[in-house]
Amino acid sequence: MTTLPYVSGFSAHTPANVLTNKDLEAFVDTNDEWIRTRTGIHERRKAPDGVANADLAAEAARGALALSGCPAESITHIVVVTCSPDVLCPSTACQVAGRLGLRARVAIDVNAACTGFVSGLDVARGFLATQKKARVLLIASETLSRFCDWADRTTCVLFGDGAGAVILSNEAIQPGGLHARLHDVRHAADGSGGDLLHFGGRYTNPGSITPSDVFGKEYFIQMNGREVFKHAVRSMTEACQEVLHDNNLTIADIDLFVPHQANLRIIEAVGSRLNVKPEQLFINLQKYGNTSAASIPIALAEAREEGRLKPGAKVLLTSFGGGFTWGAALLIFDE
Ligand code: ACO
């Protein structure tokens, strides 16, 4: 029987720079009341010029190493999940390795948009299944503010920057320390929804780009919010139901439900379909907006700070993102 992976070091790093809804009113046709009532977001963090996605990732990683008690030199794999890298090459994982002075066996990026952290848990689980001594530094880091058209009120009010990290291993790094076991993780994709949420270039006509081109609107986030909303609610609900069923649990057994923090109305819709009680739900999107793949590990780090990652706690995670991609995972903390 294979060991269930240990997950520890729940850490996050967000830029200090706060952009409130009121700040946005100064340069885009929106208002605090619309953003709060339609999304639940009050403010978000924005990486200042000169701060890279890889900088946020490295800070979150330092936190995870310190909290888990994992010596940096014992890390064998660095997996960064991101859909907003600073550059396409080198990978953000290699840049983190450079910043931390690590020489890992593997340093790769994974892109599953907002589902990235859930997918990253499965990628890490795969490495651990084949390599007993592996220690995986899993980081989710995003700077989506750099892909926002700050004149487009339908998207720019939604997103924020930040990073979160955990360490996965086949043994307890700090026996007696705070760690969970990864009991289940699953993720899915349906590429037919790709046109409903995309950014980063003219992917329908990439051959026409020349070095003298300036960014076109396709570089910035293009989203059909209403369609994404419907798919997100349905897919996250189903993924959670599957994980609960297959682990002989009901929602009443879950101590903490941590959904992707995209929109309060999506979270409430999923919560009501699953019968999640308010005391089971973790919400922090009012402070950070949608930080894509980083939203779940940022939430987990805050839940740790608030003492909500308790020994014995059963934690259900779920996410949905561009692609479309979606998934769910079950963490159970050791007693
Ligand atoms: N301020 C003021 N008015 C606005 C704003 C704004 N920021 N944005 C849109 N409006 C207006 C629209 O122009 C529209 O006006 P009209 O009726 O005169 O045409 C009206 O508000 C309603 O617009 P809708 O788009 O219908 O608003 P909706 O209630 O659907 O909310 C939202 C939009 C917040 C985008 C919602 O659809 C949503 O959250 N969708 C899901 C997004 C998501 O979850 N993404 C996750 C994946 S992200 C990733 O993977 C990177």
Side-chain angles (χ1 to χ4, degrees):
M1 201 182 108
T2 50
T3 325
L4 291 171
Y6 287 78
V7 188
S8 58
F10 302 87
S11 169
H13 178 77
T14 53
N17 216 19
V18 176
L19 195 60
T20 66
N21 294 344
K22 282 268 170 225
D23 294 333
L24 291 174
E25 286 179 10
F27 57 87
V28 62
D29 180 17
T30 190
N31 58 77
D32 178 49
E33 208 258 328
W34 191 96
I35 303 171
R36 280 179 192 245
T37 54
R38 304 309 290 165
T39 73
I41 299 164
H42 301 182
E43 60 188 42
R44 70 285 295 139
R45 303 297 177 94
K46 187 169 183 291
D49 287 354
V51 173
N53 180 323
D55 293 322
L56 303 182
E59 276 310 309
R62 284 191 184 97
L65 291 166
L67 281 167
S68 64
C70 181
E73 60 278 10
S74 71
I75 293 296
T76 54
H77 299 65
I78 304 170
V79 178
V80 174
V81 291
T82 186
C83 60
S84 53
D86 304 308
V87 292
L88 292 179
C89 181
S91 69
T92 311
C94 283
Q95 294 182 66
V96 169
R99 280 163 171 75
L100 299 184
L102 301 179
R103 290 180 69 86
R105 254 184 263 155
V106 171
I108 54 163
D109 286 5
V110 170
N111 179 354
C114 300
T115 312
F117 184 72
V118 172
S119 302
L121 288 173
D122 202 16
V123 171
R125 181 171 71 166
F127 286 131
L128 291 168
T130 54
Q131 296 165 57
K132 260 195 151 25
K133 299 265 175 231
R135 281 192 178 175
V136 185
L137 170 58
L138 172 63
I139 310 163
S141 186
E142 302 280 16
T143 44
L144 277 174
S145 68
R146 297 193 172 135
F147 292 92
C148 287
D149 171 358
W150 290 97
D152 177 6
R153 68 178 184 175
T154 67
T155 52
C156 75
V157 303
L158 304 174
F159 297 97
D161 301 336
V166 294
I167 313 282
L168 289 102
S169 54
N170 278 321
E171 85 294 352
I173 297 171
Q174 257 179 345
L178 181 75
H179 52 247
R181 309 293 284 269
L182 178 60
H183 278 249
D184 202 352
V185 54
R186 53 194 69 191
H187 47 129
D190 176 2
S192 67
D195 283 342
L196 297 168
L197 171 54
H198 62 94
F199 58 91
R202 286 175 286 182
Y203 85 125
T204 51
N205 194 15
S208 66
I209 297 173
T210 68
S212 59
D213 279 354
V214 290
F215 293 154
K217 92 176 177 49
E218 297 289 318
Y219 181 80
F220 302 101
I221 297 170
Q222 313 282 313
M223 179 169 70
N224 180 329
R226 283 188 190 179
E227 282 303 312
V228 174
F229 194 112
K230 282 190 280 185
H231 284 273
V233 172
R234 193 172 56 237
S235 305
M236 287 195 283
T237 304
E238 286 173 6
C240 289
Q241 285 166 338
E242 211 177 290
V243 165
L244 289 170
H245 175 268
D246 292 354
N247 288 278
N248 298 315
L249 296 173
T250 71
I251 196 68
D253 297 312
I254 297 300
D255 297 287
L256 194 65
F257 178 54
V258 184
H260 171 44
Q261 310 282 309
N263 183 315
L264 186 56
R265 290 185 296 137
I266 294 178
I267 293 174
E268 286 173 348
V270 174
S272 97
R273 279 162 178 74
L274 292 172
N275 282 321
V276 175
K277 295 201 170 68
E279 60 272 22
Q280 293 171 292
L281 189 53
F282 194 88
I283 299 176
N284 67 354
L285 96 164
Q286 68 280 6
K287 292 190 278 182
Y288 302 110
N290 179 349
T291 55
S292 191
S295 90
I296 289 178
I298 292 173
L300 288 173
E302 290 207 339
R304 176 189 54 73
E305 282 167 10
E306 293 174 17
R308 296 181 72 181
L309 302 185
K310 294 192 176 81
K314 295 184 179 69
V315 180
L316 181 63
L317 316 175
T318 187
S319 196
F320 179 88
F324 292 136
T325 56
W326 62 93
L330 176 67
L331 299 178
I332 303 185
F333 282 78
D334 277 0
E335 298 280 359

